Amino acid sequence: MTEFPEDASPPQTDFDAFHQRLRGCYADLPKRLVQLADFVTASPDEVALGTVSSLAGQAGVQPSTVVRFARTLGFAGFSDMQAVFRDRLRVRNVAYRDRVNALHRVDGEPLEASVIFNGFYEAALDSLRALQAHLLPDRLEAAVTTLAQAQCLYLLGLRRSMPVIRYLSYLLAKLDIRHQIIGLETGMEEESFAHAGAQDAALVLSYTAYAPRTIELFQALEARHVPVISMTDNAASPVIPQSGLWLEVHEADFQGFRSNAASMVLVSTLAAAIAERRG
Amino acid sequence: MTEFPEDASPPQTDFDAFHQRLRGCYADLPKRLVQLADFVTASPDEVALGTVSSLAGQAGVQPSTVVRFARTLGFAGFSDMQAVFRDRLRVRNVAYRDRVNALHRVDGEPLEASVIFNGFYEAALDSLRALQAHLLPDRLEAAVTTLAQAQCLYLLGLRRSMPVIRYLSYLLAKLDIRHQIIGLETGMEEESFAHAGAQDAALVLSYTAYAPRTIELFQALEARHVPVISMTDNAASPVIPQSGLWLEVHEADFQGFRSNAASMVLVSTLAAAIAERRG
DNA sequence: TTTGGTATGGAATATTCATTCCCTTTCTGG
DNA sequence: CCAGAAAGGGAATGAATATTCCATACCAAA
């Protein structure tokens, strides 16, 4: 078990050192070497996996210039420089203790960050895979149709779902699609859809345990005959609309933090598909 | 050649196909080839980056056996097999655009929603995998240390990164960690960190093309000697802090929409790890 | 315009590395 | 135990690729 010293100098990779050097002499570099420097920073993967001539071709210089570039930066030759880029590409297996170990702190020490990372990483992957497996193309298409026809889109999702809703709002704004978030101001939720009707549509996000306020607002929307699309995790969820247009999303959780990877991908899809449909 | 009805999203990569084939004939493989099969599945990076003899050495077989192995699995030779492993290492940031542009409105019809979904799905997966591959555990640990010691956390990320910052803010609030978003009110950015100093810390998110305002604010933070941790996509990024404490994040992009899956997972990790560290 | 120095291009050379081939060893079935 | 086949080892071969070197183009100062 390696103890990480609290005040140790930050770990600096050869790759970082290279870029530091590069920045240092960038200004004094001749034309062709600048050209290469730009290419090399833009596509480090090409350097790692390519050959002298493949790089030369892509960067628009001669093979010899590539070697010169490497020597200018203090390497013995191209291969020497490439080694630095290859090393960066190697997968550093993030320390992966047993999940069991991860959940129980054996000696009162804080969990290693990489273990926590792995938890969130796996949760995100699980959520995405589950979504991919369960998503019904026809249902999705129908949802897009409904949302695309709306004059104004009302977005509802409180607590954990609020960040997802905000993200969707950002996307819709970029795509110039009229919309309105419900619940930005506590206590004013109903007012925000005072003018909503059958010509509009709403998207509701709610996962267990369903926030009571979300359920209330969902019912208010249905009472106003606003077409509702729901993203939720259960066929018996309280926010399934009358129309039956709901999308199944299961977010895995890690230590009580629920992933939102699947929701993010799905709302991105909806935003892009609506824009696409409208032309 | 196997026919896939849908080429917009291959159900499996060449790499997956390879492993499937390998599993299929694993039982009938002679001793040395089994030895190689084990090695190859255990360290795919070595295959991608190594040479015939380096692999032979590490797996304890003769170079010729490595070539035999490749041929047995249906490749023309070692190089052919290596190409599959190398391809897996590449971070694809542009592929999707072309892929979908090909399908884009061939006959004036809008793209099917499920095709769009697949694009976002793949982009999210790619981003997550790239993060897992490139994340340096020591660096992450050092970043957490810095952030955990801060009295107040300042969060900076404009435009595309704003939703991620808002999500992080939500998590920190839940965890009762003092923090402040920079840039909630346009024009008032500097005021929000008027009292920040060395006792605090800042987390900066910025990806290409780096928003000029983010760079300015980053520099202002550094000028105030606020310890800065950056999440960015390039060693030559303008928001790399003096301390060298930056975390590499590559978000794949689909039709101009950049994924944020990797960023989300990483900020979740940071939030949870800080809370864990503080106990 | 000339001159000295530097940058660049391109071809020749050296090296590394995958591939091939053949001989030896190890299995397998009679 | 033997014959035949399959597997494995290792060196020779040839192709791919990095490196070196030199002629030429460029540029700045005289």
Side-chain angles (χ1 to χ4, degrees):
Chain A
M1 166 106 151
T2 50
E3 183 84 19
F4 189 82
E6 292 293 282
D7 51 359
S9 57
Q12 160 108 337
T13 62
D14 289 349
F15 185 72
D16 290 327
F18 166 82
H19 270 94
Q20 214 167 326
R21 236 177 309 162
L22 184 55
R23 234 169 330 189
C25 62
Y26 185 88
D28 322 311
L29 249 36
K31 202 175 71 168
R32 288 290 127 106
L33 296 196
V34 167
Q35 213 170 314
L36 259 170
D38 292 342
F39 177 77
V40 152
T41 44
S43 11
D45 288 6
E46 292 301 318
V47 180
L49 264 16
T51 70
V52 167
S53 30
S54 78
L55 296 188
Q58 287 179 70
V61 300
Q62 287 294 318
S64 52
T65 309
V66 176
V67 178
R68 234 195 306 278
F69 177 77
R71 302 193 85 113
T72 304
L73 278 135
F75 296 101
F78 170 74
S79 307
D80 204 30
M81 180 178 87
Q82 193 181 43
V84 171
F85 281 76
R86 292 196 162 183
D87 198 53
R88 186 193 73 109
L89 222 57
R90 274 213 163 75
V91 173
R92 295 154 233 278
N93 258 337
V94 175
Y96 197 13
R97 263 194 239 159
D98 256 17
R99 197 163 282 215
V100 189
N101 282 345
L103 295 177
H104 306 299
R105 279 192 266 168
V106 274
D107 42 3
E109 289 205 4
L111 230 56
E112 273 174 40
S114 53
V115 174
I116 298 177
F117 168 75
N118 244 298
F120 285 112
Y121 172 74
E122 296 281 345
L125 283 188
D126 281 355
S127 306
L128 287 171
R129 280 193 286 249
L131 177 63
Q132 220 260 2
H134 294 344
L135 189 64
L136 302 168
D138 292 351
R139 190 75 72 78
L140 176 63
E141 210 68 51
V144 170
T145 303
T146 302
L147 296 172
Q149 284 166 353
Q151 265 179 32
C152 180
L153 277 180
Y154 292 89
L155 313 180
L156 172 58
L158 306 178
R159 302 162 177 275
R160 306 170 119 113
S161 299
M162 187 45 107
V164 180
I165 291 289
R166 288 198 116 114
Y167 178 61
L168 175 58
S169 166
Y170 161 79
L171 290 176
L172 292 175
K174 255 187 56 167
L175 292 165
D176 202 23
I177 292 170
R178 209 177 127 204
H179 66 282
Q180 169 93 45
I181 298 182
I182 300 171
L184 273 183
E185 295 178 78
T186 320
M188 301 284 283
E189 290 88 352
E190 277 88 352
E191 278 77 358
S192 55
F193 57 93
H195 304 295
Q199 73 285 0
D200 304 309
L203 181 68
V204 176
L205 268 77
S206 188
Y207 306 121
T208 45
Y210 317 97
R213 191 81 185 107
T214 305
I215 302 175
E216 277 174 40
L217 293 166
F218 160 75
Q219 286 166 348
L221 284 164
E222 288 246 298
R224 288 182 142 277
H225 304 293
V226 179
V228 176
I229 309 291
S230 294
M231 283 168 54
T232 190
D233 55 8
N234 196 310
S237 155
V239 296
I240 304 267
Q242 314 241 315
S243 61
L245 273 177
W246 67 286
L247 300 165
E248 194 170 347
V249 179
H250 291 275
E251 297 282 14
D253 93 46
F254 170 71
Q255 298 227 319
F257 294 94
R258 191 170 298 157
S259 160
N260 63 13
S263 307
M264 286 287 182
V265 165
L266 194 46
V267 298
S268 304
T269 303
L270 290 173
I274 293 167
E276 182 79 11
R277 196 64 76 81
R278 292 194 180 174
Chain B
M1 167 102 160
T2 47
E3 282 267 338
F4 288 120
E6 181 59 34
D7 53 3
S9 65
Q12 57 177 13
T13 62
D14 289 349
F15 186 73
D16 295 329
F18 167 82
H19 270 94
Q20 208 170 331
R21 236 177 309 161
L22 184 55
R23 258 192 309 268
C25 62
Y26 185 87
D28 321 313
L29 249 37
K31 202 174 73 169
R32 288 290 129 108
L33 296 196
V34 167
Q35 215 170 313
L36 259 170
D38 291 343
F39 176 77
V40 152
T41 43
S43 5
D45 288 4
E46 293 303 319
V47 180
L49 264 20
T51 71
V52 168
S53 31
S54 78
L55 298 187
Q58 288 179 68
V61 300
Q62 288 293 319
S64 51
T65 309
V66 176
V67 178
R68 238 196 302 278
F69 178 78
R71 301 192 86 112
T72 304
L73 277 134
F75 296 101
F78 171 74
S79 307
D80 204 28
M81 180 178 87
Q82 193 181 43
V84 171
F85 282 75
R86 290 195 164 185
D87 199 51
R88 189 189 70 106
L89 278 186
R90 273 211 166 78
V91 181
R92 290 170 286 262
N93 279 354
V94 277
Y96 303 102
R97 205 167 240 154
D98 308 332
R99 198 186 276 175
V100 173
N101 277 348
L103 291 168
H104 198 67
R105 310 260 177 96
V106 271
D107 42 2
E109 297 225 342
L111 225 54
E112 272 176 38
S114 53
V115 174
I116 297 177
F117 167 75
N118 251 299
F120 284 112
Y121 172 73
E122 297 277 347
L125 282 189
D126 260 16
S127 306
L128 287 171
R129 280 193 285 244
L131 177 62
Q132 220 268 357
H134 286 67
L135 189 64
L136 302 167
D138 290 353
R139 191 73 74 77
L140 177 63
E141 210 69 51
V144 170
T145 303
T146 301
L147 296 174
Q149 284 165 353
Q151 265 178 33
C152 180
L153 276 181
Y154 291 88
L155 312 180
L156 172 57
L158 307 179
R159 302 163 178 273
R160 306 169 118 113
S161 298
M162 188 45 109
V164 180
I165 291 289
R166 290 197 115 112
Y167 178 60
L168 175 57
S169 166
Y170 161 80
L171 290 177
L172 292 174
K174 257 187 54 169
L175 291 166
D176 202 22
I177 292 170
R178 209 177 127 203
H179 67 282
Q180 170 94 44
I181 298 182
I182 299 173
L184 273 183
E185 293 178 78
T186 321
M188 300 285 283
E189 290 88 354
E190 276 87 352
E191 277 77 357
S192 55
F193 57 93
H195 303 296
Q199 74 285 359
D200 302 311
L203 181 69
V204 176
L205 267 77
S206 188
Y207 305 121
T208 42
Y210 317 97
R213 192 81 186 105
T214 304
I215 302 175
E216 276 174 41
L217 293 166
F218 159 76
Q219 286 165 349
L221 285 164
E222 288 244 299
R224 290 183 139 275
H225 304 293
V226 179
V228 175
I229 308 291
S230 293
M231 282 168 54
T232 190
D233 55 8
N234 195 311
S237 155
V239 297
I240 304 265
Q242 313 248 312
S243 62
L245 273 178
W246 67 286
L247 300 166
E248 193 169 347
V249 179
H250 289 274
E251 296 284 13
D253 145 328
F254 171 71
Q255 294 226 313
F257 295 94
R258 193 169 298 157
S259 160
N260 63 13
S263 307
M264 286 287 183
V265 165
L266 193 47
V267 299
S268 304
T269 303
L270 290 174
I274 293 167
E276 183 77 13
R277 195 66 77 81
R278 293 194 180 172

